[in-house]
Amino acid sequence: MALTTTTFRMDTVVKENLRNLLTELGMDMSTYFVMAAKQAVREQGIPFKITMDIPNSETIQAMKDTKNGVGVSKGFTSVAALMEDLDADN
């Protein structure tokens, strides 16, 4: 297998953040880019979801509330228990 060198530019902050992440994961940047390239070729597409689905502050707060049980309705083990709760005067 013949190897080649590829050079590209990226923001220095992104590069440093990526380098730190990859170090924590036990790999270097070269290994990561080769892995990503092989996966793209294997899948014949980008090997990860590309999206602009960034939650806004209201959605983030709702997710935190849900995780902490804030505003979440209680569960019922039967329809009868649900109906009893609905009919309760509270």
Side-chain angles (χ1 to χ4, degrees):
M1 173 176 78
L3 297 178
T4 185
T5 300
T6 304
T7 304
F8 57 92
R9 298 180 185 278
M10 76 167 48
D11 180 273
T12 56
V13 174
V14 172
K15 179 181 177 184
E16 190 58 32
N17 288 339
L18 178 60
R19 184 185 312 274
N20 291 338
L21 171 64
L22 295 175
T23 297
E24 289 293 317
L25 294 171
M27 73 177 79
D28 60 18
M29 291 181 70
S30 180
T31 301
Y32 169 74
F33 286 114
V34 170
M35 260 180 20
K38 286 181 177 182
Q39 190 68 18
V41 170
R42 186 176 301 117
E43 292 184 18
Q44 290 297 289
I46 304 299
F48 49 84
K49 182 178 176 185
I50 299 174
T51 180
M52 293 295 292
D53 294 335
I54 301 169
N56 62 25
S57 59
E58 184 179 356
T59 302
I60 291 170
Q61 185 61 51
M63 292 185 321
K64 287 178 183 176
D65 288 348
T66 301
K67 183 176 182 180
N68 294 325
V70 176
V72 178
S73 61
K74 59 183 175 179
F76 298 94
T77 57
S78 68
V79 173
L82 169 63
M83 295 308 293
E84 184 179 323
D85 187 70
L86 286 173
D87 291 336
D89 291 330
N90 52 359

Coordinates of all heavy atoms in Angstrom, one line a residue:
M1 N 0.9 -1.2 0.0 CA 0.0 0.0 0.0 C 0.9 1.2 0.0 O 1.7 1.5 0.9 CB -0.9 0.0 1.2 CG -1.7 1.2 1.4 SD -2.9 1.2 2.8 CE -1.8 1.4 4.2
A2 N 0.8 2.0 -1.0 CA 1.6 3.3 -1.1 C 0.9 4.4 -0.3 O -0.3 4.5 -0.4 CB 1.7 3.7 -2.6
L3 N 1.7 5.1 0.4 CA 1.1 6.2 1.2 C 1.3 7.5 0.5 O 2.3 7.7 -0.2 CB 1.7 6.2 2.6 CG 1.5 5.0 3.5 CD1 2.2 5.1 4.8 CD2 0.0 4.8 3.7
T4 N 0.5 8.5 0.8 CA 0.6 9.8 0.2 C 0.4 10.8 1.3 O -0.2 10.5 2.4 CB -0.4 10.1 -0.9 OG1 -0.1 11.3 -1.5 CG2 -1.8 10.0 -0.5
T5 N 0.8 12.0 1.1 CA 0.7 13.1 2.1 C -0.4 14.0 1.6 O -0.5 14.4 0.4 CB 2.0 13.9 2.3 OG1 3.0 13.0 2.8 CG2 1.8 15.0 3.3
T6 N -1.3 14.4 2.5 CA -2.4 15.4 2.2 C -2.3 16.5 3.2 O -2.2 16.3 4.4 CB -3.8 14.7 2.3 OG1 -3.8 13.5 1.5 CG2 -4.9 15.6 2.0
T7 N -2.4 17.7 2.6 CA -2.3 18.9 3.4 C -3.6 19.7 3.3 O -4.1 19.9 2.2 CB -1.2 19.8 3.0 OG1 0.0 19.0 3.1 CG2 -1.0 21.0 3.9
F8 N -4.2 20.2 4.4 CA -5.3 21.1 4.3 C -5.3 22.0 5.5 O -4.6 21.9 6.4 CB -6.6 20.2 4.3 CG -6.8 19.3 5.5 CD1 -7.5 19.8 6.6 CD2 -6.3 18.0 5.4 CE1 -7.7 18.9 7.7 CE2 -6.5 17.2 6.5 CZ -7.2 17.6 7.6
R9 N -6.1 23.1 5.4 CA -6.2 24.1 6.4 C -7.4 24.0 7.3 O -8.5 23.6 6.8 CB -6.2 25.5 5.8 CG -5.0 25.8 4.9 CD -5.1 27.2 4.3 NE -4.0 27.4 3.4 CZ -2.8 27.8 3.8 NH1 -2.5 28.0 5.1 NH2 -1.8 28.1 2.9
M10 N -7.3 24.3 8.6 CA -8.4 24.3 9.5 C -8.1 25.4 10.5 O -7.0 25.7 10.8 CB -8.8 23.0 10.1 CG -7.9 22.5 11.2 SD -8.4 21.1 12.1 CE -8.9 19.9 10.9
D11 N -9.2 25.8 11.2 CA -9.1 26.8 12.2 C -8.2 26.2 13.4 O -8.3 25.1 13.7 CB -10.5 27.1 12.8 CG -10.5 28.1 13.9 OD1 -10.3 27.7 15.1 OD2 -10.6 29.3 13.6
T12 N -7.3 27.0 13.9 CA -6.4 26.6 14.9 C -7.1 26.1 16.2 O -6.6 25.1 16.8 CB -5.3 27.6 15.3 OG1 -6.0 28.8 15.7 CG2 -4.4 28.0 14.1
V13 N -8.2 26.8 16.6 CA -8.9 26.3 17.8 C -9.5 25.0 17.5 O -9.5 24.1 18.4 CB -9.9 27.4 18.2 CG1 -10.8 26.9 19.3 CG2 -9.2 28.7 18.5
V14 N -10.2 24.8 16.4 CA -10.8 23.5 16.0 C -9.7 22.4 16.0 O -9.9 21.3 16.6 CB -11.5 23.6 14.7 CG1 -12.0 22.2 14.3 CG2 -12.7 24.5 14.7
K15 N -8.6 22.7 15.4 CA -7.5 21.7 15.4 C -7.0 21.3 16.8 O -6.9 20.1 17.1 CB -6.3 22.3 14.6 CG -5.1 21.3 14.5 CD -4.0 21.9 13.7 CE -2.8 21.0 13.7 NZ -1.6 21.6 13.0
E16 N -6.9 22.3 17.6 CA -6.4 22.0 19.0 C -7.4 21.2 19.8 O -7.1 20.2 20.5 CB -6.0 23.3 19.8 CG -5.3 23.0 21.1 CD -4.0 22.2 20.9 OE1 -3.3 22.4 19.9 OE2 -3.7 21.5 21.9
N17 N -8.7 21.6 19.6 CA -9.8 20.8 20.3 C -9.9 19.4 19.8 O -10.1 18.5 20.5 CB -11.1 21.5 20.1 CG -11.2 22.8 20.9 OD1 -10.5 23.0 21.9 ND2 -12.1 23.7 20.5
L18 N -9.7 19.2 18.5 CA -9.7 17.9 17.9 C -8.5 17.1 18.4 O -8.7 15.9 18.8 CB -9.7 18.0 16.4 CG -9.7 16.6 15.6 CD1 -10.9 15.8 16.0 CD2 -9.6 16.8 14.1
R19 N -7.4 17.7 18.4 CA -6.2 17.0 18.8 C -6.4 16.5 20.3 O -6.0 15.4 20.6 CB -4.9 17.9 18.7 CG -3.6 17.2 19.1 CD -2.4 18.1 19.1 NE -2.3 18.9 17.9 CZ -1.7 18.5 16.8 NH1 -1.2 17.3 16.7 NH2 -1.7 19.4 15.8
N20 N -6.9 17.4 21.2 CA -7.1 17.0 22.6 C -8.1 15.9 22.7 O -7.9 14.9 23.4 CB -7.6 18.2 23.4 CG -6.6 19.3 23.5 OD1 -5.4 19.0 23.4 ND2 -7.0 20.5 23.8
L21 N -9.2 15.9 21.9 CA -10.2 14.9 21.9 C -9.6 13.5 21.5 O -9.8 12.5 22.1 CB -11.4 15.2 21.0 CG -12.4 14.1 20.8 CD1 -13.1 13.7 22.1 CD2 -13.4 14.5 19.7
L22 N -8.9 13.6 20.4 CA -8.3 12.4 19.8 C -7.3 11.8 20.8 O -7.2 10.5 20.9 CB -7.7 12.6 18.5 CG -8.8 13.0 17.4 CD1 -8.1 13.3 16.1 CD2 -9.8 11.9 17.2
T23 N -6.5 12.6 21.5 CA -5.5 12.2 22.4 C -6.3 11.4 23.6 O -5.8 10.3 24.0 CB -4.7 13.3 23.0 OG1 -4.0 13.9 21.9 CG2 -3.8 12.9 24.1
E24 N -7.4 12.0 24.0 CA -8.2 11.3 25.1 C -8.7 9.9 24.6 O -8.8 9.0 25.3 CB -9.4 12.2 25.5 CG -9.0 13.4 26.3 CD -8.4 13.0 27.7 OE1 -9.0 12.1 28.3 OE2 -7.4 13.6 28.0
L25 N -9.0 9.9 23.3 CA -9.5 8.6 22.7 C -8.3 7.7 22.3 O -8.6 6.6 21.8 CB -10.3 8.9 21.4 CG -11.6 9.7 21.7 CD1 -12.3 10.1 20.4 CD2 -12.6 8.8 22.5
G26 N -7.1 8.1 22.5 CA -6.0 7.2 22.2 C -5.5 7.2 20.7 O -4.9 6.2 20.3
M27 N -5.8 8.2 20.0 CA -5.3 8.2 18.6 C -4.8 9.6 18.2 O -5.1 10.6 18.8 CB -6.4 7.7 17.6 CG -7.6 8.7 17.4 SD -8.8 8.1 16.2 CE -9.7 7.0 17.2
D28 N -4.1 9.6 17.1 CA -3.6 10.8 16.5 C -4.5 11.3 15.4 O -5.4 10.6 15.0 CB -2.1 10.7 16.1 CG -1.9 9.7 15.0 OD1 -2.8 9.3 14.4 OD2 -0.7 9.3 14.8
M29 N -4.2 12.5 14.9 CA -5.0 13.1 13.9 C -4.9 12.3 12.6 O -5.9 12.1 11.8 CB -4.7 14.5 13.7 CG -5.2 15.4 14.9 SD -4.8 17.1 14.7 CE -6.0 17.6 13.5
S30 N -3.8 11.8 12.2 CA -3.6 11.0 11.0 C -4.5 9.8 11.0 O -5.2 9.5 10.1 CB -2.1 10.6 10.8 OG -1.9 9.9 9.7
T31 N -4.5 9.1 12.1 CA -5.3 7.9 12.3 C -6.8 8.2 12.1 O -7.5 7.5 11.4 CB -5.0 7.2 13.7 OG1 -3.7 6.9 13.8 CG2 -5.9 6.0 13.8
Y32 N -7.2 9.3 12.7 CA -8.6 9.7 12.7 C -9.0 10.0 11.2 O -10.0 9.5 10.7 CB -8.8 11.0 13.5 CG -10.2 11.6 13.3 CD1 -11.3 11.0 13.7 CD2 -10.3 12.8 12.5 CE1 -12.6 11.5 13.5 CE2 -11.5 13.3 12.3 CZ -12.7 12.7 12.8 OH -13.9 13.3 12.5
F33 N -8.2 10.8 10.5 CA -8.5 11.1 9.1 C -8.5 9.9 8.2 O -9.4 9.8 7.3 CB -7.7 12.3 8.6 CG -8.0 13.6 9.2 CD1 -7.2 14.3 10.1 CD2 -9.3 14.2 9.0 CE1 -7.5 15.5 10.6 CE2 -9.6 15.4 9.5 CZ -8.8 16.0 10.4
V34 N -7.6 9.0 8.4 CA -7.6 7.8 7.6 C -8.8 7.0 7.9 O -9.5 6.5 7.0 CB -6.3 7.0 7.8 CG1 -6.4 5.6 7.2 CG2 -5.1 7.7 7.3
M35 N -9.2 6.8 9.2 CA -10.4 6.1 9.5 C -11.6 6.8 8.9 O -12.5 6.0 8.3 CB -10.6 6.2 11.1 CG -10.2 4.9 11.8 SD -10.4 5.0 13.6 CE -11.6 6.2 13.9
A36 N -11.8 8.1 9.0 CA -12.9 8.8 8.4 C -12.9 8.6 6.9 O -14.0 8.4 6.3 CB -12.9 10.3 8.8
A37 N -11.8 8.6 6.2 CA -11.7 8.5 4.8 C -12.1 7.1 4.4 O -12.9 6.9 3.4 CB -10.3 8.8 4.3
K38 N -11.6 6.1 5.1 CA -12.0 4.7 4.8 C -13.5 4.4 5.0 O -14.1 3.8 4.2 CB -11.2 3.7 5.6 CG -9.8 3.6 5.2 CD -9.0 2.6 6.1 CE -7.6 2.4 5.6 NZ -6.9 1.4 6.4
Q39 N -14.1 5.0 6.0 CA -15.5 4.8 6.3 C -16.3 5.5 5.2 O -17.3 5.0 4.8 CB -15.8 5.4 7.7 CG -17.2 5.0 8.1 CD -17.4 3.5 8.4 OE1 -16.5 2.8 8.6 NE2 -18.7 3.1 8.4
A40 N -15.9 6.7 4.8 CA -16.6 7.4 3.7 C -16.6 6.6 2.4 O -17.6 6.5 1.7 CB -16.0 8.8 3.5
V41 N -15.5 6.0 2.1 CA -15.4 5.2 0.9 C -16.2 3.9 1.0 O -17.0 3.6 0.1 CB -13.9 4.8 0.6 CG1 -13.8 3.7 -0.5 CG2 -13.1 6.0 0.3
R42 N -16.2 3.3 2.2 CA -17.0 2.1 2.5 C -18.5 2.4 2.3 O -19.3 1.6 1.8 CB -16.7 1.6 3.9 CG -17.3 0.2 4.2 CD -16.9 -0.3 5.6 NE -15.5 -0.5 5.7 CZ -14.7 0.2 6.5 NH1 -15.2 1.1 7.3 NH2 -13.4 -0.1 6.5
E43 N -18.9 3.6 2.9 CA -20.4 3.9 2.9 C -20.8 4.7 1.6 O -22.0 4.9 1.4 CB -20.7 4.7 4.1 CG -20.6 3.9 5.4 CD -21.0 4.7 6.6 OE1 -21.7 5.8 6.5 OE2 -20.7 4.3 7.8
Q44 N -19.8 5.1 0.9 CA -20.1 5.9 -0.3 C -20.8 7.1 0.1 O -21.8 7.5 -0.6 CB -20.8 5.1 -1.4 CG -19.9 4.0 -2.0 CD -18.7 4.6 -2.8 OE1 -18.9 5.3 -3.8 NE2 -17.5 4.5 -2.2
G45 N -20.4 7.8 1.2 CA -21.1 9.0 1.6 C -20.3 9.5 2.9 O -19.4 8.8 3.4
I46 N -20.8 10.6 3.4 CA -20.2 11.1 4.6 C -20.6 10.2 5.8 O -21.8 9.8 5.9 CB -20.8 12.5 4.9 CG1 -20.5 13.5 3.7 CG2 -20.2 13.1 6.2 CD1 -19.0 13.7 3.4
P47 N -19.6 9.7 6.6 CA -19.9 8.7 7.6 C -20.5 9.2 8.9 O -20.4 8.6 9.9 CB -18.5 8.1 7.8 CG -17.6 9.2 7.6 CD -18.2 10.0 6.5
F48 N -21.1 10.4 8.9 CA -21.8 10.9 10.0 C -22.9 11.8 9.6 O -22.9 12.3 8.5 CB -20.8 11.6 11.0 CG -19.9 12.6 10.3 CD1 -20.4 13.9 10.0 CD2 -18.7 12.3 9.8 CE1 -19.6 14.8 9.3 CE2 -17.9 13.2 9.2 CZ -18.3 14.5 8.9
K49 N -23.8 12.1 10.5 CA -25.0 12.9 10.2 C -24.6 14.4 10.1 O -24.0 14.9 11.0 CB -26.1 12.7 11.2 CG -27.3 13.5 11.0 CD -28.4 13.2 12.1 CE -29.6 14.0 11.9 NZ -30.5 13.8 13.0
I50 N -24.9 15.0 9.0 CA -24.6 16.4 8.9 C -25.9 17.2 9.1 O -26.9 16.9 8.3 CB -24.0 16.8 7.5 CG1 -22.7 16.0 7.3 CG2 -23.8 18.3 7.3 CD1 -22.1 16.1 6.0
T51 N -26.0 18.0 10.1 CA -27.3 18.6 10.4 C -27.1 20.0 11.0 O -26.0 20.3 11.5 CB -28.0 17.8 11.4 OG1 -29.3 18.4 11.7 CG2 -27.3 17.5 12.7
M52 N -28.1 20.8 11.0 CA -28.1 22.1 11.7 C -29.1 22.0 12.8 O -29.6 23.0 13.3 CB -28.5 23.2 10.7 CG -27.5 23.4 9.6 SD -26.0 24.1 10.2 CE -26.4 25.7 10.7
D53 N -29.4 20.8 13.3 CA -30.4 20.6 14.4 C -29.8 21.0 15.7 O -29.5 20.1 16.5 CB -30.9 19.2 14.4 CG -31.7 18.9 13.2 OD1 -32.3 19.8 12.5 OD2 -31.8 17.7 12.8
I54 N -29.5 22.2 15.9 CA -28.9 22.7 17.2 C -30.1 23.2 18.1 O -30.8 24.2 17.7 CB -27.9 23.8 17.0 CG1 -26.8 23.3 16.1 CG2 -27.3 24.3 18.3 CD1 -25.8 24.3 15.6
P55 N -30.3 22.6 19.2 CA -31.5 23.1 20.0 C -31.2 24.5 20.6 O -30.1 24.8 21.0 CB -31.5 22.0 21.2 CG -30.2 21.4 21.2 CD -29.6 21.5 19.8
N56 N -32.3 25.3 20.6 CA -32.3 26.6 21.1 C -32.3 26.5 22.7 O -32.5 25.4 23.2 CB -33.4 27.5 20.6 CG -34.8 27.0 20.9 OD1 -35.0 26.3 21.9 ND2 -35.7 27.4 20.1
S57 N -32.2 27.7 23.3 CA -32.1 27.7 24.8 C -33.4 27.1 25.4 O -33.4 26.5 26.5 CB -31.8 29.1 25.3 OG -32.8 30.0 24.9
E58 N -34.6 27.4 24.8 CA -35.8 26.9 25.3 C -35.9 25.4 25.3 O -36.3 24.7 26.2 CB -37.0 27.5 24.6 CG -38.4 27.1 25.1 CD -39.5 27.8 24.3 OE1 -39.2 28.6 23.3 OE2 -40.6 27.4 24.6
T59 N -35.4 24.8 24.2 CA -35.4 23.4 24.0 C -34.4 22.7 25.0 O -34.7 21.7 25.6 CB -35.1 23.0 22.6 OG1 -36.1 23.6 21.7 CG2 -35.1 21.5 22.4
I60 N -33.3 23.3 25.1 CA -32.3 22.8 26.1 C -32.9 22.8 27.5 O -32.7 21.8 28.2 CB -31.0 23.6 26.0 CG1 -30.3 23.4 24.7 CG2 -30.1 23.3 27.2 CD1 -29.1 24.3 24.4
Q61 N -33.6 23.9 27.9 CA -34.2 23.9 29.2 C -35.2 22.8 29.4 O -35.3 22.2 30.4 CB -34.8 25.3 29.5 CG -35.3 25.4 30.9 CD -34.2 25.2 32.0 OE1 -33.1 25.9 31.9 NE2 -34.4 24.4 33.0
A62 N -36.0 22.6 28.3 CA -37.1 21.6 28.4 C -36.4 20.2 28.5 O -37.0 19.4 29.3 CB -37.9 21.7 27.1
M63 N -35.3 20.0 27.8 CA -34.7 18.7 28.0 C -34.1 18.5 29.4 O -34.2 17.4 29.9 CB -33.5 18.6 26.9 CG -34.1 18.5 25.5 SD -32.9 18.2 24.1 CE -31.5 19.2 24.5
K64 N -33.6 19.6 30.0 CA -33.0 19.5 31.3 C -34.2 19.2 32.3 O -34.1 18.4 33.2 CB -32.3 20.8 31.7 CG -31.0 20.9 31.1 CD -30.4 22.3 31.5 CE -29.0 22.5 30.7 NZ -28.5 23.8 31.1
D65 N -35.3 19.9 32.1 CA -36.5 19.7 33.0 C -37.0 18.3 32.9 O -37.3 17.7 33.9 CB -37.6 20.7 32.6 CG -37.3 22.2 33.0 OD1 -36.3 22.4 33.7 OD2 -38.0 23.1 32.5
T66 N -37.1 17.8 31.7 CA -37.6 16.4 31.5 C -36.6 15.4 32.2 O -37.1 14.5 32.9 CB -37.7 16.1 30.0 OG1 -38.6 17.0 29.4 CG2 -38.2 14.7 29.8
K67 N -35.3 15.6 32.0 CA -34.3 14.7 32.7 C -34.5 14.8 34.2 O -34.3 13.8 34.9 CB -32.9 15.1 32.2 CG -31.9 14.2 32.8 CD -30.5 14.6 32.2 CE -29.4 13.7 32.8 NZ -28.1 14.0 32.3
N68 N -34.8 16.0 34.7 CA -34.9 16.1 36.2 C -36.3 15.9 36.7 O -36.6 16.1 37.9 CB -34.4 17.5 36.6 CG -33.0 17.7 36.3 OD1 -32.2 16.8 36.5 ND2 -32.6 18.9 35.9
G69 N -37.2 15.5 35.8 CA -38.6 15.1 36.2 C -39.5 16.3 36.5 O -40.6 16.2 37.1
V70 N -39.1 17.5 36.0 CA -39.9 18.7 36.2 C -41.0 18.8 35.1 O -40.7 18.7 33.9 CB -39.0 20.0 36.1 CG1 -39.8 21.3 36.2 CG2 -37.9 20.0 37.2
G71 N -42.2 18.9 35.5 CA -43.3 19.0 34.5 C -43.7 17.8 33.8 O -44.4 17.8 32.8
V72 N -43.2 16.6 34.3 CA -43.5 15.4 33.7 C -44.7 14.7 34.4 O -44.7 14.7 35.6 CB -42.2 14.4 33.8 CG1 -42.5 13.1 33.2 CG2 -41.0 15.1 33.1
S73 N -45.6 14.3 33.6 CA -46.8 13.7 34.2 C -46.4 12.3 34.8 O -45.5 11.6 34.3 CB -47.9 13.5 33.2 OG -47.5 12.7 32.1
K74 N -47.2 11.9 35.7 CA -46.9 10.6 36.4 C -47.5 9.5 35.5 O -48.4 9.7 34.7 CB -47.5 10.5 37.8 CG -49.0 10.7 37.8 CD -49.5 10.7 39.3 CE -51.0 11.0 39.4 NZ -51.4 11.0 40.8
G75 N -46.9 8.3 35.7 CA -47.4 7.1 34.9 C -48.4 6.4 35.6 O -48.6 6.5 36.8
F76 N -49.1 5.5 34.9 CA -50.2 4.7 35.4 C -50.0 3.3 35.0 O -49.5 3.0 33.9 CB -51.6 5.2 35.0 CG -51.8 6.6 35.4 CD1 -51.6 7.7 34.6 CD2 -52.4 6.9 36.7 CE1 -51.8 9.0 35.0 CE2 -52.6 8.2 37.1 CZ -52.3 9.3 36.2
T77 N -50.4 2.4 35.9 CA -50.2 1.0 35.6 C -51.4 0.3 34.9 O -51.4 -0.8 34.5 CB -49.9 0.2 36.9 OG1 -50.9 0.4 37.8 CG2 -48.5 0.6 37.4
S78 N -52.6 1.1 34.9 CA -53.8 0.6 34.3 C -54.7 1.8 33.9 O -54.5 2.9 34.4 CB -54.5 -0.3 35.3 OG -55.1 0.5 36.3
V79 N -55.6 1.5 33.0 CA -56.6 2.5 32.6 C -57.4 2.9 33.8 O -57.8 4.1 34.0 CB -57.4 1.9 31.4 CG1 -58.6 2.9 31.1 CG2 -56.6 1.7 30.2
A80 N -57.7 1.9 34.6 CA -58.6 2.2 35.8 C -57.9 3.3 36.7 O -58.5 4.2 37.2 CB -58.9 0.9 36.6
A81 N -56.6 3.1 36.9 CA -55.8 4.0 37.7 C -55.8 5.4 37.1 O -55.9 6.4 37.8 CB -54.4 3.5 38.0
L82 N -55.6 5.5 35.8 CA -55.7 6.7 35.1 C -57.0 7.4 35.2 O -57.1 8.6 35.5 CB -55.4 6.5 33.6 CG -55.7 7.7 32.7 CD1 -54.8 8.9 33.0 CD2 -55.5 7.3 31.2
M83 N -58.1 6.7 35.1 CA -59.4 7.2 35.2 C -59.7 7.7 36.6 O -60.3 8.7 36.8 CB -60.5 6.2 34.8 CG -60.4 5.8 33.3 SD -60.4 7.2 32.2 CE -62.1 7.8 32.4
E84 N -59.2 7.0 37.6 CA -59.4 7.4 39.0 C -58.7 8.7 39.2 O -59.2 9.6 39.9 CB -58.8 6.3 39.9 CG -59.0 6.6 41.4 CD -58.5 5.5 42.2 OE1 -58.6 4.3 41.8 OE2 -57.9 5.8 43.3
D85 N -57.5 8.8 38.7 CA -56.8 10.1 38.8 C -57.5 11.2 38.1 O -57.5 12.4 38.6 CB -55.3 9.9 38.3 CG -54.5 11.1 38.6 OD1 -54.2 11.4 39.8 OD2 -54.2 11.9 37.7
L86 N -58.0 11.0 36.9 CA -58.7 12.0 36.2 C -60.0 12.5 36.9 O -60.3 13.7 36.9 CB -59.1 11.5 34.8 CG -57.9 11.4 33.8 CD1 -58.4 10.7 32.5 CD2 -57.3 12.7 33.5
D87 N -60.6 11.5 37.6 CA -61.9 11.9 38.3 C -61.7 12.5 39.7 O -62.6 13.0 40.3 CB -62.8 10.6 38.4 CG -63.3 10.1 37.1 OD1 -63.4 11.0 36.2 OD2 -63.6 8.9 37.0
A88 N -60.4 12.4 40.2 CA -60.1 13.0 41.5 C -60.3 14.5 41.5 O -60.1 15.2 40.6 CB -58.7 12.6 41.9
D89 N -60.8 15.0 42.7 CA -61.0 16.4 42.9 C -59.8 17.0 43.5 O -59.7 17.2 44.7 CB -62.3 16.7 43.8 CG -63.5 16.3 43.1 OD1 -63.6 16.4 41.8 OD2 -64.5 15.9 43.8
N90 N -58.8 17.4 42.7 CA -57.6 18.0 43.3 C -57.1 19.1 42.4 O -57.4 19.3 41.3 CB -56.5 17.0 43.6 CG -56.1 16.1 42.4 OD1 -56.7 16.1 41.3 ND2 -55.2 15.2 42.7

